[in-house]
Amino acid sequence: MGEGYHSRISQLVKLVLKHASFLVKLHLLTERGSALISFSDSVYVYWGLTSHLCAAGRLNWNSPEMARPSSNLTKFRKEFAKAKHIAIITGAGVSAESGVPTFRGQGGYWRKWQAQDLATPEAFSRDPSLVWEFYHYRREVMRSKMPNPAHLAIAECESRLSQQGRSVVIITQNIDELHHRAGSKHVYEIHGSLFKTRCMSCGEVTANHKSPICPALEGKGEPDPKAKDARIPVEHLPRCERRGCNGLLRPHVVWFGETLDSDILTAVEQELEKCDLCLVVGTSSVVYPAAMFAPQVAGRGVPVAEFNMECTPATERFKYHFEGPCGTTLPPALERHESEAI
């Protein structure tokens, strides 16, 4: 890496540290109500300098302004037909079309709280019963939600192309497992899953689709602001079933102030480095580090197509932009191309 790279990184550090005092508790929201970065007076956590996220430094920071993104589906389809390794980055917009609540913005409350009030290590330490009620409710809601045409199109495309020696990888910010339920196999859930737990004692991560997750939570989690907190004794909350442990379980999701799994980030970085076509589907492109992924790919000249309800801060970096519901715009983009063998 040249001096210019180190100079830019140094400038980034200075900028972060200069404004840290004003960012006493700044949380950058993930697409599903978690967070990646927090700043405080004593701790500076910034994505740009960690070993795995320094991949951002490989972006062409001096690249010229790109032409306005194209919405020409025929041209995109030609690139799609040639691609051997396709990376698809998905966010909340995909799940929203399945009716999945986000608990963000106006009206996005569970009782009197938004996700950022409950999705923190501090909240869980202070009131694990309340936090588990919130996540139990979310788990139960997901049982009535189904993959939509966007999920299904991605899964069908992955399955079809795998038979042609081509690959599709899904990098999702969502924690609802709808990609899995649609049939996708090659999925990285960078923010975790509602249907996995992690033991606070032994650290074991386990898939858990029980309903309810424990007897004490049955019938709990009513979102009505007038509902009373269950106040479940901690010994009756979900517990680790590993022999000799019995530790308290927590949802295996990324909470505010927590970092992403380094192994997953490494794997995602490797996928992005080898992809020859990238799709960004239903994401705001403002949540880091995921917001870096597609611009990083575009920076090395790989075509990137954005499918979203509106333009995002990253739109001008991409070659294609298709506006509208993902369930409408994505299926025709991923359907079998005439050049594919039947």
Side-chain angles (χ1 to χ4, degrees), residues 76-148:
F76 169 80
R77 294 278 290 161
K78 289 180 180 179
E79 308 228 42
F80 169 75
K82 297 184 295 183
K84 300 297 183 183
H85 185 87
I86 302 172
I88 303 179
I89 302 167
T90 69
V94 178
S95 294
E97 291 181 29
S98 288
V100 178
T102 63
F103 303 102
R104 288 168 55 186
Q106 186 175 3
Y109 286 82
W110 178 82
R111 295 183 185 169
K112 61 181 180 180
W113 295 281
Q114 288 190 300
Q116 57 265 38
D117 300 317
L118 301 175
T120 72
E122 294 81 8
F124 190 72
S125 176
R126 182 172 59 249
D127 195 343
S129 173
L130 182 65
V131 173
W132 259 122
E133 276 200 86
F134 174 55
Y135 280 95
H136 168 68
Y137 170 75
R138 296 178 71 177
R139 285 165 57 99
E140 295 302 304
V141 165
M142 283 310 306
R143 297 185 183 282
S144 66
K145 307 303 179 184
M146 300 297 293
N148 62 59

Coordinates of all heavy atoms in Angstrom, one line a residue, residues 76-148:
F76 N -28.1 -5.3 -18.4 CA -27.8 -6.0 -17.2 C -27.8 -7.5 -17.4 O -27.0 -8.2 -17.0 CB -28.8 -5.6 -16.1 CG -28.6 -6.5 -14.9 CD1 -27.6 -6.4 -14.0 CD2 -29.5 -7.6 -14.7 CE1 -27.5 -7.2 -12.9 CE2 -29.4 -8.5 -13.6 CZ -28.4 -8.3 -12.7
R77 N -28.8 -7.9 -18.1 CA -29.0 -9.4 -18.4 C -27.8 -10.0 -19.1 O -27.4 -11.1 -18.9 CB -30.3 -9.6 -19.1 CG -31.6 -9.3 -18.3 CD -31.9 -10.4 -17.4 NE -32.4 -11.6 -18.1 CZ -32.5 -12.8 -17.7 NH1 -32.0 -13.1 -16.5 NH2 -32.9 -13.8 -18.4
K78 N -27.2 -9.2 -20.0 CA -26.0 -9.7 -20.7 C -24.9 -9.9 -19.8 O -24.1 -10.8 -19.9 CB -25.7 -8.7 -21.8 CG -26.6 -8.6 -23.0 CD -26.2 -7.6 -24.1 CE -27.2 -7.6 -25.3 NZ -26.8 -6.6 -26.3
E79 N -24.7 -9.0 -18.8 CA -23.7 -9.1 -17.8 C -24.0 -10.3 -16.9 O -23.1 -11.0 -16.5 CB -23.5 -7.8 -17.0 CG -23.4 -6.6 -17.9 CD -22.2 -5.7 -17.5 OE1 -21.2 -6.2 -17.1 OE2 -22.4 -4.5 -17.5
F80 N -25.2 -10.4 -16.6 CA -25.7 -11.5 -15.7 C -25.3 -12.9 -16.4 O -24.9 -13.8 -15.8 CB -27.2 -11.4 -15.5 CG -27.8 -12.6 -14.8 CD1 -27.6 -12.9 -13.5 CD2 -28.6 -13.5 -15.6 CE1 -28.2 -14.1 -12.9 CE2 -29.2 -14.6 -15.0 CZ -28.9 -14.9 -13.7
A81 N -25.5 -13.0 -17.7 CA -25.3 -14.2 -18.4 C -23.8 -14.6 -18.4 O -23.5 -15.8 -18.5 CB -25.8 -14.1 -19.9
K82 N -23.0 -13.6 -18.3 CA -21.5 -13.9 -18.4 C -20.9 -14.2 -17.0 O -19.8 -14.7 -16.9 CB -20.8 -12.7 -19.0 CG -21.1 -12.5 -20.5 CD -20.3 -11.4 -21.1 CE -20.6 -10.0 -20.4 NZ -19.8 -8.9 -21.0
A83 N -21.6 -13.7 -16.0 CA -21.0 -13.8 -14.6 C -20.9 -15.2 -14.1 O -21.7 -16.1 -14.3 CB -21.9 -13.0 -13.6
K84 N -19.7 -15.5 -13.5 CA -19.4 -16.8 -12.9 C -19.6 -16.9 -11.4 O -19.9 -17.9 -10.9 CB -18.0 -17.2 -13.3 CG -17.7 -17.3 -14.7 CD -18.5 -18.3 -15.4 CE -18.2 -18.4 -16.9 NZ -19.0 -19.4 -17.6
H85 N -19.4 -15.7 -10.8 CA -19.6 -15.7 -9.3 C -20.3 -14.4 -8.9 O -19.8 -13.3 -9.0 CB -18.2 -15.8 -8.6 CG -18.3 -15.8 -7.1 ND1 -18.5 -17.0 -6.4 CD2 -18.4 -14.9 -6.2 CE1 -18.6 -16.8 -5.1 NE2 -18.5 -15.5 -4.9
I86 N -21.6 -14.6 -8.5 CA -22.4 -13.4 -8.2 C -22.6 -13.3 -6.7 O -23.0 -14.2 -6.0 CB -23.8 -13.6 -8.9 CG1 -23.7 -13.8 -10.4 CG2 -24.8 -12.5 -8.6 CD1 -24.9 -14.2 -11.1
A87 N -22.4 -12.1 -6.2 CA -22.6 -11.8 -4.8 C -23.9 -10.9 -4.7 O -24.0 -9.9 -5.4 CB -21.4 -11.0 -4.2
I88 N -24.8 -11.3 -3.8 CA -26.0 -10.6 -3.6 C -26.1 -10.1 -2.2 O -26.1 -10.9 -1.3 CB -27.3 -11.4 -4.0 CG1 -27.2 -12.0 -5.4 CG2 -28.5 -10.7 -3.8 CD1 -28.3 -12.9 -5.8
I89 N -26.1 -8.8 -2.0 CA -26.1 -8.2 -0.7 C -27.6 -7.7 -0.4 O -28.1 -7.0 -1.2 CB -25.2 -7.0 -0.6 CG1 -23.7 -7.4 -0.9 CG2 -25.2 -6.4 0.8 CD1 -22.8 -6.3 -1.2
T90 N -28.2 -8.2 0.7 CA -29.6 -7.9 0.9 C -29.7 -7.2 2.3 O -29.0 -7.4 3.2 CB -30.5 -9.2 0.9 OG1 -30.2 -10.0 2.0 CG2 -30.3 -9.9 -0.4
G91 N -30.8 -6.4 2.3 CA -31.1 -5.6 3.5 C -32.5 -5.6 3.9 O -33.3 -6.4 3.4
A92 N -33.0 -4.7 4.7 CA -34.3 -4.7 5.3 C -35.4 -4.6 4.3 O -36.5 -5.1 4.5 CB -34.4 -3.6 6.3
G93 N -35.1 -4.0 3.1 CA -36.1 -3.8 2.1 C -36.7 -5.1 1.6 O -37.9 -5.2 1.2
V94 N -35.8 -6.1 1.6 CA -36.3 -7.4 1.1 C -37.3 -8.0 2.1 O -38.4 -8.5 1.8 CB -35.1 -8.4 0.9 CG1 -35.6 -9.8 0.5 CG2 -34.1 -7.9 -0.1
S95 N -36.9 -8.0 3.4 CA -37.8 -8.5 4.4 C -39.1 -7.7 4.6 O -40.1 -8.3 4.9 CB -37.1 -8.6 5.8 OG -36.0 -9.5 5.7
A96 N -39.0 -6.4 4.4 CA -40.2 -5.6 4.6 C -41.3 -6.0 3.6 O -42.5 -5.9 4.0 CB -39.8 -4.1 4.3
E97 N -40.9 -6.5 2.5 CA -41.9 -6.9 1.5 C -42.6 -8.2 1.9 O -43.6 -8.6 1.3 CB -41.3 -7.0 0.1 CG -40.9 -5.7 -0.5 CD -40.3 -5.7 -1.9 OE1 -40.7 -6.7 -2.6 OE2 -39.5 -4.8 -2.2
S98 N -42.1 -8.8 2.9 CA -42.7 -10.0 3.5 C -43.5 -9.6 4.8 O -44.0 -10.5 5.5 CB -41.7 -11.1 3.9 OG -41.2 -11.7 2.7
G99 N -43.6 -8.3 5.1 CA -44.3 -7.8 6.2 C -43.6 -7.9 7.5 O -44.2 -7.9 8.6
V100 N -42.2 -8.0 7.5 CA -41.4 -8.1 8.7 C -41.3 -6.7 9.3 O -40.8 -5.8 8.6 CB -40.0 -8.7 8.4 CG1 -39.2 -8.8 9.6 CG2 -40.2 -10.1 7.8
P101 N -41.7 -6.6 10.6 CA -41.5 -5.2 11.2 C -40.0 -4.9 11.5 O -39.2 -5.8 11.8 CB -42.3 -5.4 12.5 CG -42.3 -6.9 12.8 CD -42.3 -7.6 11.5
T102 N -39.7 -3.7 11.4 CA -38.3 -3.3 11.7 C -38.1 -2.6 13.0 O -36.9 -2.5 13.5 CB -37.9 -2.2 10.6 OG1 -38.7 -1.1 10.7 CG2 -38.0 -2.8 9.2
F103 N -39.1 -2.2 13.7 CA -39.0 -1.5 15.0 C -38.1 -0.3 14.9 O -37.4 0.0 15.8 CB -38.5 -2.5 16.1 CG -39.4 -3.7 16.2 CD1 -39.0 -4.9 15.7 CD2 -40.6 -3.6 16.9 CE1 -39.8 -6.0 15.8 CE2 -41.4 -4.7 17.0 CZ -41.0 -5.9 16.5
R104 N -38.2 0.4 13.8 CA -37.4 1.6 13.6 C -38.4 2.7 13.0 O -39.3 2.4 12.3 CB -36.3 1.3 12.6 CG -35.2 0.5 13.2 CD -34.2 0.0 12.1 NE -33.7 1.1 11.3 CZ -32.9 1.0 10.3 NH1 -32.7 -0.3 9.9 NH2 -32.5 2.0 9.6
G105 N -38.0 3.9 13.2 CA -38.8 5.0 12.7 C -40.1 5.3 13.4 O -40.4 4.6 14.4
Q106 N -40.9 6.2 12.9 CA -42.2 6.5 13.5 C -43.1 5.3 13.5 O -43.3 4.7 12.5 CB -42.8 7.7 12.8 CG -44.1 8.2 13.5 CD -44.6 9.4 12.8 OE1 -44.1 9.8 11.8 NE2 -45.7 10.0 13.4
G107 N -43.6 5.0 14.7 CA -44.5 3.8 14.8 C -43.8 2.5 15.0 O -44.4 1.5 15.1
G108 N -42.5 2.6 14.9 CA -41.7 1.3 15.0 C -41.4 0.9 16.4 O -40.2 0.7 16.8
Y109 N -42.4 0.8 17.3 CA -42.1 0.5 18.7 C -42.7 -0.8 19.1 O -43.6 -1.3 18.5 CB -42.8 1.6 19.6 CG -42.2 2.9 19.6 CD1 -42.4 3.9 18.6 CD2 -41.3 3.3 20.6 CE1 -41.8 5.1 18.6 CE2 -40.7 4.5 20.6 CZ -40.9 5.4 19.6 OH -40.3 6.6 19.6
W110 N -42.0 -1.4 20.0 CA -42.5 -2.6 20.8 C -42.8 -2.1 22.2 O -41.9 -1.7 22.9 CB -41.5 -3.7 20.7 CG -42.0 -4.9 21.5 CD1 -42.8 -5.9 21.1 CD2 -41.6 -5.3 22.9 NE1 -43.0 -6.9 22.1 CE2 -42.2 -6.5 23.2 CE3 -40.8 -4.7 23.8 CZ2 -42.1 -7.1 24.4 CZ3 -40.7 -5.3 25.1 CH2 -41.3 -6.5 25.4
R111 N -44.1 -2.1 22.5 CA -44.5 -1.4 23.8 C -44.0 0.0 23.7 O -44.4 0.7 22.7 CB -44.0 -2.2 25.0 CG -44.6 -3.6 25.1 CD -44.2 -4.3 26.4 NE -44.7 -5.7 26.3 CZ -44.4 -6.6 27.2 NH1 -43.5 -6.4 28.1 NH2 -45.0 -7.8 27.1
K112 N -43.2 0.5 24.6 CA -42.8 1.9 24.5 C -41.3 2.0 24.1 O -40.7 3.1 24.1 CB -42.9 2.5 25.9 CG -42.1 1.9 27.0 CD -42.4 2.6 28.3 CE -41.6 2.0 29.5 NZ -41.8 2.7 30.8
W113 N -40.8 0.9 23.6 CA -39.3 0.9 23.2 C -39.1 0.6 21.7 O -39.9 -0.1 21.1 CB -38.6 -0.2 24.0 CG -38.5 0.0 25.5 CD1 -37.7 0.9 26.2 CD2 -39.4 -0.6 26.5 NE1 -38.0 0.8 27.5 CE2 -39.0 -0.1 27.7 CE3 -40.4 -1.6 26.4 CZ2 -39.5 -0.5 28.9 CZ3 -41.0 -2.0 27.6 CH2 -40.5 -1.4 28.8
Q114 N -38.1 1.2 21.2 CA -37.6 0.8 19.9 C -36.4 -0.2 20.1 O -35.9 -0.4 21.2 CB -37.1 2.1 19.1 CG -38.3 2.9 18.6 CD -37.8 4.0 17.7 OE1 -37.0 4.9 18.0 NE2 -38.3 4.0 16.5
A115 N -36.0 -0.7 19.0 CA -35.0 -1.8 19.1 C -33.7 -1.3 19.8 O -33.1 -2.1 20.6 CB -34.6 -2.3 17.7
Q116 N -33.3 -0.1 19.5 CA -32.0 0.4 20.1 C -32.1 0.5 21.6 O -31.1 0.6 22.3 CB -31.6 1.7 19.5 CG -32.6 2.8 19.6 CD -33.4 3.0 18.4 OE1 -33.8 1.9 17.8 NE2 -33.7 4.2 18.0
D117 N -33.3 0.5 22.2 CA -33.5 0.5 23.6 C -33.3 -0.8 24.3 O -32.9 -0.9 25.5 CB -34.9 1.0 24.0 CG -35.2 2.4 23.5 OD1 -34.3 3.3 23.6 OD2 -36.3 2.6 23.0
L118 N -33.5 -1.9 23.5 CA -33.5 -3.2 24.1 C -32.3 -4.1 23.5 O -31.9 -5.1 24.2 CB -34.8 -3.9 23.8 CG -36.0 -3.3 24.4 CD1 -37.3 -4.0 24.0 CD2 -35.9 -3.2 25.9
A119 N -31.9 -3.8 22.3 CA -30.9 -4.6 21.6 C -29.5 -4.2 22.0 O -28.6 -3.8 21.2 CB -31.1 -4.6 20.1
T120 N -29.2 -4.2 23.3 CA -27.8 -3.9 23.8 C -27.4 -4.9 24.9 O -28.3 -5.4 25.6 CB -27.8 -2.5 24.4 OG1 -28.5 -2.5 25.6 CG2 -28.4 -1.4 23.5
P121 N -26.1 -5.1 25.0 CA -25.6 -5.9 26.1 C -26.1 -5.4 27.5 O -26.4 -6.1 28.4 CB -24.1 -5.9 26.0 CG -23.9 -5.6 24.6 CD -25.0 -4.6 24.2
E122 N -26.1 -4.0 27.6 CA -26.5 -3.4 28.9 C -27.9 -3.7 29.2 O -28.2 -3.9 30.4 CB -26.2 -1.9 28.8 CG -24.8 -1.5 28.6 CD -24.2 -1.6 27.2 OE1 -25.1 -1.8 26.3 OE2 -23.0 -1.4 27.0
A123 N -28.8 -3.6 28.2 CA -30.2 -3.9 28.5 C -30.4 -5.3 28.9 O -31.2 -5.6 29.8 CB -31.0 -3.6 27.2
F124 N -29.7 -6.2 28.3 CA -29.8 -7.6 28.6 C -29.3 -7.9 30.0 O -29.9 -8.7 30.8 CB -29.1 -8.5 27.6 CG -29.4 -10.0 27.7 CD1 -30.6 -10.5 27.4 CD2 -28.4 -10.8 28.2 CE1 -30.9 -11.8 27.5 CE2 -28.7 -12.2 28.4 CZ -29.9 -12.7 28.0
S125 N -28.2 -7.2 30.4 CA -27.7 -7.4 31.7 C -28.6 -6.8 32.8 O -28.8 -7.4 33.9 CB -26.3 -6.7 31.8 OG -25.8 -6.8 33.1
R126 N -29.3 -5.7 32.4 CA -30.2 -5.1 33.4 C -31.5 -5.8 33.5 O -32.0 -5.9 34.6 CB -30.4 -3.6 32.9 CG -31.3 -2.7 33.8 CD -31.2 -1.3 33.3 NE -31.7 -1.2 31.9 CZ -30.9 -0.8 30.9 NH1 -29.6 -0.6 31.1 NH2 -31.4 -0.7 29.7
D127 N -32.1 -6.3 32.4 CA -33.4 -6.9 32.4 C -33.5 -8.0 31.3 O -34.1 -7.8 30.3 CB -34.5 -5.8 32.2 CG -35.9 -6.3 32.6 OD1 -36.1 -7.5 32.7 OD2 -36.7 -5.4 32.7
P128 N -32.9 -9.1 31.5 CA -32.9 -10.2 30.5 C -34.3 -10.7 30.2 O -34.6 -11.1 29.1 CB -32.1 -11.3 31.1 CG -32.1 -11.0 32.6 CD -32.1 -9.5 32.7
S129 N -35.2 -10.6 31.2 CA -36.6 -11.0 31.0 C -37.3 -10.1 29.9 O -37.9 -10.6 29.0 CB -37.4 -10.9 32.3 OG -38.8 -11.2 32.0
L130 N -37.1 -8.8 30.0 CA -37.7 -7.9 29.1 C -37.2 -8.1 27.7 O -37.9 -8.1 26.7 CB -37.5 -6.4 29.5 CG -38.1 -5.4 28.7 CD1 -39.7 -5.4 28.7 CD2 -37.7 -4.0 29.1
V131 N -35.8 -8.2 27.6 CA -35.2 -8.4 26.3 C -35.6 -9.7 25.7 O -35.9 -9.7 24.5 CB -33.7 -8.3 26.4 CG1 -33.0 -8.7 25.1 CG2 -33.2 -7.0 26.9
W132 N -35.8 -10.8 26.5 CA -36.2 -12.0 25.9 C -37.7 -12.0 25.5 O -38.1 -12.6 24.5 CB -36.0 -13.2 26.9 CG -34.8 -14.0 26.5 CD1 -33.7 -14.2 27.3 CD2 -34.5 -14.7 25.3 NE1 -32.8 -15.0 26.7 CE2 -33.2 -15.3 25.4 CE3 -35.2 -14.8 24.1 CZ2 -32.7 -16.0 24.4 CZ3 -34.6 -15.5 23.1 CH2 -33.4 -16.1 23.2
E133 N -38.5 -11.2 26.2 CA -39.9 -11.0 25.7 C -39.9 -10.4 24.3 O -40.7 -10.8 23.4 CB -40.6 -10.1 26.7 CG -41.2 -10.8 27.9 CD -42.3 -9.9 28.5 OE1 -43.5 -10.0 28.0 OE2 -42.0 -9.1 29.4
F134 N -39.1 -9.4 24.1 CA -39.0 -8.7 22.8 C -38.6 -9.6 21.7 O -39.2 -9.7 20.7 CB -38.0 -7.5 23.0 CG -37.7 -6.8 21.7 CD1 -38.7 -6.2 20.9 CD2 -36.4 -6.7 21.3 CE1 -38.4 -5.6 19.7 CE2 -36.1 -6.0 20.1 CZ -37.1 -5.4 19.3
Y135 N -37.6 -10.4 22.0 CA -37.1 -11.3 20.9 C -38.0 -12.5 20.8 O -38.2 -13.1 19.6 CB -35.6 -11.8 21.2 CG -34.7 -10.7 20.8 CD1 -34.2 -9.8 21.7 CD2 -34.2 -10.7 19.5 CE1 -33.3 -8.8 21.3 CE2 -33.4 -9.7 19.1 CZ -32.9 -8.8 20.0 OH -32.0 -7.8 19.5
H136 N -38.7 -13.0 21.8 CA -39.7 -14.0 21.7 C -40.8 -13.6 20.8 O -41.2 -14.3 19.9 CB -40.2 -14.4 23.1 CG -41.4 -15.3 23.0 ND1 -41.4 -16.6 22.6 CD2 -42.7 -15.0 23.4 CE1 -42.6 -17.1 22.6 NE2 -43.4 -16.2 23.1
Y137 N -41.2 -12.3 21.0 CA -42.3 -11.8 20.1 C -41.8 -11.8 18.7 O -42.6 -12.2 17.8 CB -42.6 -10.3 20.6 CG -43.5 -9.6 19.6 CD1 -44.9 -9.9 19.5 CD2 -43.0 -8.6 18.8 CE1 -45.7 -9.2 18.6 CE2 -43.8 -7.9 17.9 CZ -45.2 -8.3 17.8 OH -46.0 -7.6 16.9
R138 N -40.6 -11.3 18.4 CA -40.1 -11.3 17.0 C -40.0 -12.6 16.4 O -40.3 -12.8 15.2 CB -38.7 -10.6 17.0 CG -38.8 -9.1 17.5 CD -37.4 -8.5 17.5 NE -36.9 -8.2 16.1 CZ -35.8 -7.6 15.9 NH1 -35.0 -7.2 16.9 NH2 -35.4 -7.4 14.6
R139 N -39.6 -13.6 17.2 CA -39.5 -15.0 16.7 C -40.9 -15.5 16.3 O -41.1 -16.1 15.3 CB -38.9 -15.9 17.8 CG -37.4 -15.7 17.9 CD -36.9 -16.4 19.2 NE -37.2 -17.8 19.3 CZ -36.4 -18.8 19.1 NH1 -35.2 -18.6 18.6 NH2 -36.8 -20.0 19.2
E140 N -41.8 -15.2 17.2 CA -43.2 -15.7 16.9 C -43.8 -15.0 15.7 O -44.5 -15.7 14.9 CB -44.1 -15.5 18.2 CG -43.6 -16.4 19.4 CD -43.6 -17.9 19.1 OE1 -44.6 -18.4 18.6 OE2 -42.5 -18.5 19.2
V141 N -43.6 -13.7 15.6 CA -44.1 -13.0 14.4 C -43.6 -13.6 13.1 O -44.3 -13.8 12.1 CB -43.7 -11.5 14.5 CG1 -43.9 -10.8 13.1 CG2 -44.5 -10.8 15.5
M142 N -42.3 -14.0 13.1 CA -41.7 -14.5 11.9 C -42.3 -15.9 11.5 O -42.2 -16.2 10.3 CB -40.2 -14.7 12.1 CG -39.4 -13.5 12.0 SD -39.7 -12.5 10.6 CE -39.4 -13.7 9.3
R143 N -43.0 -16.5 12.4 CA -43.6 -17.8 12.0 C -44.8 -17.6 11.0 O -45.2 -18.5 10.3 CB -44.0 -18.6 13.2 CG -42.9 -18.9 14.1 CD -43.2 -19.8 15.3 NE -42.1 -20.0 16.1 CZ -41.1 -20.9 15.9 NH1 -41.3 -21.7 14.8 NH2 -40.1 -21.1 16.7
S144 N -45.3 -16.4 11.0 CA -46.4 -16.1 10.1 C -45.9 -15.4 8.8 O -46.7 -15.1 7.9 CB -47.4 -15.2 10.8 OG -46.9 -13.9 11.1
K145 N -44.6 -15.2 8.7 CA -44.1 -14.5 7.5 C -43.5 -15.5 6.6 O -42.9 -16.5 7.0 CB -43.1 -13.4 7.9 CG -43.5 -12.4 9.0 CD -44.8 -11.7 8.5 CE -45.3 -10.7 9.6 NZ -46.6 -10.1 9.3
M146 N -43.6 -15.2 5.3 CA -43.1 -16.1 4.3 C -42.1 -15.4 3.3 O -42.2 -14.2 3.1 CB -44.3 -16.7 3.4 CG -45.3 -17.4 4.3 SD -44.6 -18.9 5.0 CE -44.3 -19.9 3.6
P147 N -41.2 -16.2 2.7 CA -40.3 -15.6 1.7 C -41.2 -15.0 0.6 O -42.2 -15.5 0.2 CB -39.5 -16.8 1.2 CG -39.6 -17.8 2.3 CD -40.9 -17.6 2.9
N148 N -40.8 -13.8 0.1 CA -41.5 -13.2 -1.0 C -40.8 -13.5 -2.4 O -39.8 -14.2 -2.4 CB -41.6 -11.7 -0.7 CG -40.3 -11.0 -0.7 OD1 -39.5 -11.0 -1.6 ND2 -40.0 -10.4 0.5

